[in-house]
Amino acid sequence: MSHTVSIREVIKKFGDFTAVDKISIEINQGEFFTLLGPSGCGKTTLLRAIAGFNKMDGGEIAFSGSVINNVPAHKRDIGMVFQNYAIFPHMTVKENIAYGLKAKKVPRPEIERRTEEALEMVQIAPLKDRKPSELSGGQQQRVALARAFVIEPRVLLMDEPLSNLDAKLRVQMRTTIKKLQRTLGITTIYVTHDQEEALAVSDRIAVMKDGHIMQVGSPEEVYRRPANRFVAGFIGTSNFIDCEAKTEGSETTLRISSDYGVKVKTKRPIDGPAVIAGRPEQLFFSDGEGIPGEITISTFLGDFVEYEILTESGQTLQLNEYTKDVGSVRPDGQKVHLRFDPKAISLIDPKTEEVISDFGG
Amino acid sequence: MKTKGLDKKPRDIWSLMKIIIFVVILLSIVWPLSTIVFRSVTNKFGEFTFENFGKFFSHQYYFNVLENTMFVAGWTTVISVVLGVWIAYVLSRYDFKCKRILNMLIILSLMSPPFIGAYSWILLFGRSGWVTTAAYNWFGWTLPTIYGKWGIVSVFICKMFPYVYLFTSSALGSIDSSLEEAAENLGASKWRRMLSVTFPVVSPSILAGAVLVFMSAVSDFGTPMLIGENYKVLATLVYEQYMSEIGTSSNFASAVSMIVIALCAILLLAQKWYLNRKNYNMTCMRPPAPVKLSWGKRIVMLLPVLLVVLIALLPQIVVVVTSFKNCNGPYFVEGWSLNSYQMIFTRMVRAIKNTYSFSLIAIVFMVVIGSITAYITVRKRSFTTGVIDILLMIPYVIPGAVMGLALIIAFNRAPFYWAGTAIIMILCYTIRKIPYTVRSASGFLQQMELSVEEASINLGVSPGKTFFKITLPLMLPGVVSGAILSWIETINELSSSIMLYTGKTITMSVAIYNEVARNSFGTAAAMASILTLSAVIMLIVFNKVSKGRVSIV
């Protein structure tokens, strides 16, 4: 049976540098949970603390309720896939996969059966007698994967497992990983700096920065309803547009330019400068009112066109328009007006950098 | 904090190993050397004094010895750098079929017993040498004398330029070709590229080779002893002073040793200072491809290289050939036979037995201590392991005569009466030659990702078992390769052996030295041939095991 994982106020310091600063997360049984953040945010440090390779400087980690701080790494019953695969170079593919089962003293016929099964699942059965040096990166990745899940661990950890693969293989492997995780139902903690990968595979994502958690939520939540300016900028692309905000009663009026303003709902009143975060696909060209500007460059990308627009107030914005929705590509230098759907944007209070939009739910 | 104390560092087996190795090093390296320091600043009654150093610097004779040492080592270094860099450049940048063999031959000239060169040169160019006699009889020429400083320098160059060659060629092989292409692209001519990009970038390696040459030239004892005649250098001075002070307390020999140590230390610090200023980190994706040349150019390029390698190997060839020649006392006579071999296997069995048994026992210690040390210095890095790392390199850079002297002083009193025993010889070999094993093993470990060991632990295998199932098998080629180099160096060791040996513990290198000293060339040649053959065989094994992943120097 898979574990729940409780991370409670975990602290990890390297000298004076605090890599993980009092982080708490609850991960559900069978969940695919991703730690996402730029390099140096503490995500790998936290993962290695769960694996037992890093001693913590505070807090505790519990599997299904029992604290494992003092359980040595080799007794934690965790599977781990390393960034550089960490395949044993002196063993064949099959020996690599059987290694953990042998250590657990599983009877020989069962080792044989489970190893074969694992080889089949990651589709490398014909390669079982090869040495790792004879495998491609993608194949090594599959060995690493099979070796980690064949021991039927109660938690599976993955440290940037796809970062050494080329773009196409990466997309392929992340589907493989997601399917495998669904089939096996193992609680999985996945570390990556690639937001697109995180959105693609995860049930829930924790966005991290400087040893802190910025937001925990489903891929849709962190994309549509970022908790703060960092998340809005890190996940996907956001336009940050300056405006003047004034709350009157239950409505807040945002004035973007002299002739363009919208009304939104906020969680708390605000009066003064504010920042609107809007996705490129949530900006539209308008015929009349809107933010005035000029197209500086348009890039045709097949399924959509990406426009870069310089507004009259001197900001550069990005607008995406689906090719199927419009007839032709607008020429560079065209004077345009931009509008957005007030329900789709996030309003950021510049003092706290927090998103204060009321998404109503 | 409530979790405090929960995550206390467990006392594992490696912390214990650190302590054990540290204590062993303190006893076998630090303590003997400290006795030298102590002796150098006391007189024979144990009173504090600087008179030993005063004696050295106030007598013109001793000062000349220092000057001689600098002269010999300086010229050796300069010429070795020129030869080594040139040959490394030619062999790494142009495509020759015989490259591998040449490389092997150059390594072989490095791995020869230290004084074989001197001895062969005397046979060829000495007062009654074959070439000297032939030149006089056939052409009436009188060749310049081989004895004295230039003889020492030429023998040194032949043996030591390989250091520069090996360092430089490995550096040249790890320059990414894009670097030179960039220079070419920016319009630099071939010569300009070489002088302004290639050589500056490999300069730290050239320097490392040069420092090694200089230190070897300062430490070498056999060559100046045999071919120098009245030309004294520091290494021979330590030996002579020690020999003449036997029964006394060797204070002056200690002072001379301190001067030699200071010389080496200054050099190492200078090198470190230079490396700190010029530390080029390069990621080599694609080493430059060797250029194919036309036949004419190939011969012009290769011929001088072949000539140098041949001259460097000449001593070995001479030794092997003369080992089969008939001898009558000091004279070679007509006819060929195995008489010399018969002679050494009847009269000098003890030396042969000692050489192989001492070296094998020493190797066992080197392998065990070396693997553990490599592991703790790479994987369990701490302040202690940093100190261990530095201390372990000391016997490698200190001349053998000095180390031998230190061991005798330290282990000839309670509680260790080891002087004249096999124990002191084995101890000396172990500490002097272990750096080869440690460096090779830790090199392998460094290339091995830590995550491989973590993967094993993660799969449920305890750290202790992981060491034996994963780490050791992966480190083994490195340990074995290093041990082979240690072993070859051990059987050839003369400078410390000659300080430590007695009739019972005589080794082949000492026996060769003694035989040469009393003009019994045939037996010396036969024994030297056996050493050379051992080295050749082990070098072949080394190439098979290391697969080019361990550097010789």
Side-chain angles (χ1 to χ4, degrees):
Chain A
M1 204 50 203
S2 228
H3 278 308
T4 61
V5 179
S6 312
I7 295 159
R8 297 176 195 138
E9 299 192 336
V10 166
I11 298 171
K12 173 69 194 175
K13 290 178 187 165
F14 294 106
D16 289 336
F17 174 71
T18 307
V20 173
D21 198 359
K22 269 201 171 183
I23 281 186
S24 299
I25 310 172
E26 287 291 328
I27 298 166
N28 304 326
Q29 203 175 63
E31 189 173 26
F32 199 126
F33 192 91
T34 297
L35 302 173
L36 171 68
S39 57
C41 72
K43 56 191 191 300
T44 295
T45 308
L46 182 58
L47 193 80
R48 290 174 59 82
I50 300 171
F53 296 133
N54 279 351
K55 292 275 171 204
M56 292 179 280
D57 295 307
E60 57 185 29
I61 294 174
F63 286 173
S64 294
S66 58
V67 176
I68 54 151
N69 284 26
N70 287 325
V71 178
H74 66 282
K75 289 185 179 154
R76 289 195 180 186
D77 203 10
I78 294 176
M80 183 154 175
V81 179
F82 294 82
Q83 185 171 10
N84 51 17
Y85 318 138
I87 311 276
F88 307 129
H90 57 311
M91 298 180 190
T92 64
V93 167
K94 205 175 155 184
E95 285 166 347
N96 261 284
I97 297 174
Y99 186 86
L101 294 173
K102 278 186 194 150
K104 281 189 192 310
K105 304 223 160 46
V106 173
R108 195 168 285 272
E110 198 188 331
I111 293 183
E112 194 67 22
R113 182 178 58 75
R114 282 166 67 177
T115 310
E116 294 290 339
E117 271 175 24
L119 282 162
E120 288 294 336
M121 283 184 88
V122 294
Q123 296 152 1
I124 48 167
L127 308 175
K128 64 181 176 187
D129 295 318
R130 297 244 191 120
K131 279 278 171 70
S133 55
E134 301 165 288
L135 301 180
S136 69
Q139 289 165 340
Q140 291 193 29
Q141 172 67 78
R142 287 167 192 271
V143 177
L145 209 56
R147 186 180 65 181
F149 74 69
V150 76
I151 58 169
E152 291 171 8
R154 302 212 265 177
V155 178
L156 187 59
L157 307 179
M158 298 200 198
D159 185 10
E160 308 237 9
L162 304 181
S163 61
N164 287 341
L165 300 178
D166 63 62
K168 204 163 179 184
L169 203 54
R170 210 173 328 176
V171 174
Q172 215 178 67
M173 278 306 289
R174 79 185 183 206
T175 315
T176 309
I177 288 177
K178 194 175 178 177
K179 279 187 188 157
L180 209 60
Q181 196 268 343
R182 290 277 156 79
T183 319
L184 299 167
I186 305 175
T187 309
T188 300
I189 306 175
Y190 189 98
V191 159
T192 183
H193 65 271
D194 181 339
Q195 43 98 13
E196 191 190 314
E197 193 175 299
L199 294 177
V201 296
S202 320
D203 292 326
R204 276 196 305 156
I205 298 171
V207 184
M208 293 177 67
K209 185 196 172 202
D210 299 338
H212 294 275
I213 294 216
M214 297 280 109
Q215 186 176 4
V216 178
S218 69
E220 208 186 331
E221 272 166 0
V222 292
Y223 186 81
R224 283 185 192 269
R225 298 168 186 183
N228 51 41
R229 186 177 180 132
F230 175 77
V231 177
F234 189 74
I235 310 258
T237 312
S238 283
N239 291 302
F240 294 105
I241 308 163
D242 296 325
C243 67
E244 282 293 324
K246 191 166 178 64
T247 308
E248 280 162 332
S250 65
E251 274 187 335
T252 304
T253 309
L254 309 179
R255 183 133 301 276
I256 298 105
S257 63
S258 53
D259 65 339
Y260 185 46
V262 293
K263 286 188 163 42
V264 296
K265 282 196 157 45
T266 53
K267 282 184 269 189
R268 54 179 148 91
I270 178 166
D271 190 3
V275 177
I276 296 163
R279 303 290 182 190
E281 70 271 19
Q282 288 158 353
L283 289 185
F284 311 103
F285 291 114
S286 91
D287 300 328
E289 63 161 15
I291 313 162
E294 185 186 314
I295 296 178
T296 45
I297 196 157
S298 61
T299 312
F300 181 74
L301 288 163
D303 52 348
F304 66 95
V305 188
E306 192 182 289
Y307 294 100
E308 194 182 282
I309 293 137
L310 184 65
T311 66
E312 274 177 9
S313 58
Q315 275 190 297
T316 302
L317 302 180
Q318 190 188 324
L319 182 155
N320 292 354
E321 202 171 52
Y322 277 94
T323 345
K324 66 176 174 58
D325 298 338
V326 289
S328 57
V329 178
R330 288 166 190 256
D332 293 356
Q334 193 182 58
K335 300 270 181 200
V336 292
H337 284 88
L338 305 183
R339 254 181 342 104
F340 50 78
D341 175 6
K343 286 198 195 81
I345 56 109
S346 308
L347 186 68
I348 296 163
D349 180 351
K351 282 182 221 110
T352 59
E353 303 241 308
E354 266 178 295
V355 171
I356 54 169
S357 301
D358 185 359
F359 295 109
Chain B
M1 200 174 296
K2 65 179 172 182
T3 49
K4 198 153 183 180
L6 283 180
D7 288 336
K8 224 179 2 181
K9 248 193 185 164
R11 283 255 160 264
D12 61 359
I13 182 87
W14 298 115
S15 318
L16 186 69
M17 286 296 170
K18 269 185 208 175
I19 296 166
I20 292 174
I21 287 186
F22 192 65
V23 171
V24 168
I25 288 176
L26 279 186
L27 262 177
S28 61
I29 298 174
V30 178
W31 184 53
L33 287 174
S34 67
T35 59
I36 282 217
V37 178
F38 180 73
R39 290 268 166 119
S40 70
V41 291
T42 50
N43 62 17
K44 59 185 167 187
F45 307 110
E47 293 153 359
F48 179 80
T49 170
F50 277 121
E51 69 186 23
N52 301 312
F53 290 99
K55 182 175 162 193
F56 185 92
F57 287 107
S58 59
H59 286 67
Q60 189 61 39
Y61 173 77
Y62 297 122
F63 200 73
N64 282 348
V65 170
L66 180 62
E67 244 175 28
N68 290 350
T69 310
M70 299 300 285
F71 178 90
V72 169
W75 276 108
T76 304
T77 309
V78 170
I79 301 173
S80 294
V81 165
V82 172
L83 285 179
V85 171
W86 164 57
I87 294 178
Y89 190 82
V90 169
L91 287 189
S92 69
R93 287 305 153 86
Y94 300 103
D95 190 34
F96 300 113
K97 286 237 157 49
C98 50
K99 198 183 277 185
R100 284 179 59 99
I101 301 169
L102 274 179
N103 192 53
M104 184 86 180
L105 292 178
I106 293 175
I107 293 170
L108 191 63
S109 49
L110 178 73
M111 290 288 162
S112 64
F115 43 89
I116 287 279
Y119 151 71
S120 297
W121 284 61
I122 292 174
L123 276 187
L124 293 172
F125 303 102
R127 271 178 209 100
S128 50
W130 301 333
V131 180
T132 321
T133 325
Y136 187 76
N137 290 346
W138 297 351
F139 307 106
W141 294 346
T142 314
L143 295 182
T145 177
I146 190 67
Y147 302 97
K149 54 189 176 186
W150 289 110
I152 302 175
V153 171
S154 19
V155 173
F156 277 174
I157 292 167
C158 288
K159 186 180 155 47
M160 293 167 192
F161 87 85
Y163 285 129
V164 182
Y165 162 79
L166 287 168
F167 271 108
T168 313
S169 38
S170 78
L172 281 174
S174 61
I175 292 187
D176 195 82
S177 53
S178 61
L179 206 62
E180 281 174 48
E181 284 163 6
E184 191 177 355
N185 178 258
L186 292 169
S189 71
K190 191 180 164 193
W191 275 101
R192 207 187 153 78
R193 233 147 63 209
M194 209 160 84
L195 293 177
S196 63
V197 175
T198 315
F199 286 131
V201 168
V202 296
S203 66
S205 301
I206 299 177
L207 182 74
V211 167
L212 204 55
V213 168
F214 192 94
M215 291 201 304
S216 311
V218 170
S219 339
D220 193 283
F221 161 83
T223 305
M225 204 70 182
L226 284 178
I227 210 169
E229 299 211 317
N230 290 322
Y231 195 82
K232 295 274 174 267
V233 294
L234 285 171
T236 48
L237 184 65
V238 172
Y239 174 72
E240 278 178 1
Q241 287 305 318
Y242 168 69
M243 281 312 189
S244 67
E245 283 183 31
I246 278 186
T248 71
S249 39
S250 52
N251 300 91
F252 184 62
S254 297
V256 178
S257 299
M258 285 303 293
I259 291 163
V260 180
I261 293 174
L263 209 58
C264 294
I266 291 169
L267 211 59
L268 281 176
L269 287 176
Q271 181 193 9
K272 212 174 152 72
W273 173 77
Y274 181 82
L275 288 184
N276 280 345
R277 286 179 55 229
K278 313 231 164 186
N279 186 11
Y280 309 113
N281 262 324
M282 283 183 294
T283 40
C284 175
M285 319 287 282
R286 189 166 50 99
V291 180
K292 273 207 194 303
L293 292 174
S294 65
W295 272 104
K297 272 192 177 170
R298 216 181 275 193
I299 289 167
V300 172
M301 285 289 215
L302 202 55
L303 216 57
V305 174
L306 273 177
L307 199 69
V308 172
V309 174
L310 203 72
I311 293 174
L313 267 183
L314 200 60
Q316 315 255 30
I317 300 165
V318 169
V319 160
V320 174
V321 170
T322 52
S323 73
F324 296 108
K325 244 185 145 352
N326 280 335
C327 283
N328 180 11
Y331 304 107
F332 289 105
V333 293
E334 282 300 309
W336 306 87
S337 70
L338 291 174
N339 286 347
S340 299
Y341 287 95
Q342 211 174 0
M343 195 103 97
I344 60 169
F345 279 113
T346 48
R347 288 207 349 239
M348 291 163 214
V349 193
R350 176 175 278 164
I352 299 174
K353 269 192 192 158
N354 282 348
T355 297
Y356 288 95
S357 56
F358 294 173
S359 61
L360 286 178
I361 297 170
I363 281 298
V364 172
F365 284 116
M366 285 187 239
V367 164
V368 175
I369 300 173
S371 327
I372 297 171
T373 310
Y375 188 79
I376 57 176
T377 49
V378 174
R379 288 287 191 254
K380 309 281 165 190
R381 202 170 293 175
S382 67
F383 179 73
T384 323
T385 64
V387 175
I388 288 176
D389 211 21
I390 293 169
L391 291 180
L392 213 56
M393 287 306 284
I394 293 177
Y396 177 75
V397 297
I398 283 184
V402 173
M403 202 62 226
L405 179 68
L407 289 175
I408 289 191
I409 297 173
F411 295 114
N412 195 20
R413 56 181 174 204
F416 308 104
Y417 291 100
W418 287 349
T421 63
I423 300 174
I424 202 167
M425 306 282 277
I426 292 166
L427 174 69
C428 179
Y429 295 152
T430 307
I431 57 172
R432 250 172 82 67
K433 306 303 180 187
I434 202 173
Y436 293 95
T437 308
V438 175
R439 270 196 315 189
S440 167
S442 42
F444 259 62
L445 260 181
Q446 271 154 1
Q447 288 166 23
M448 194 176 127
E449 301 272 5
L450 179 62
S451 60
V452 173
E453 285 156 73
E454 288 177 346
S456 166
I457 293 169
N458 176 258
L459 289 166
V461 177
S462 67
K465 270 193 187 156
T466 294
F467 179 76
F468 287 102
K469 289 179 88 162
I470 303 291
T471 319
L472 204 55
L474 290 177
M475 200 167 84
L476 205 60
V479 176
V480 172
S481 312
I484 289 174
L485 295 182
S486 295
W487 187 76
I488 296 174
E489 287 285 316
T490 304
I491 58 172
N492 287 336
E493 172 73 6
L494 173 70
S495 54
S496 65
S497 305
I498 205 148
M499 305 289 285
L500 297 170
Y501 89 102
T502 60
K504 264 193 221 155
T505 60
I506 189 167
T507 61
M508 285 168 83
S509 48
V510 176
I512 296 170
Y513 174 80
N514 288 345
E515 293 298 289
V516 172
R518 66 176 123 104
N519 288 340
S520 176
F521 292 140
T523 45
M527 266 192 291
S529 300
I530 293 176
L531 287 183
T532 302
L533 183 69
S534 306
V536 171
I537 293 172
M538 292 319 283
L539 273 180
I540 292 169
V541 178
F542 169 83
N543 273 352
K544 288 258 180 294
V545 177
S546 70
K547 294 188 183 113
R549 287 181 293 173
V550 177
S551 64
I552 302 268
V553 285

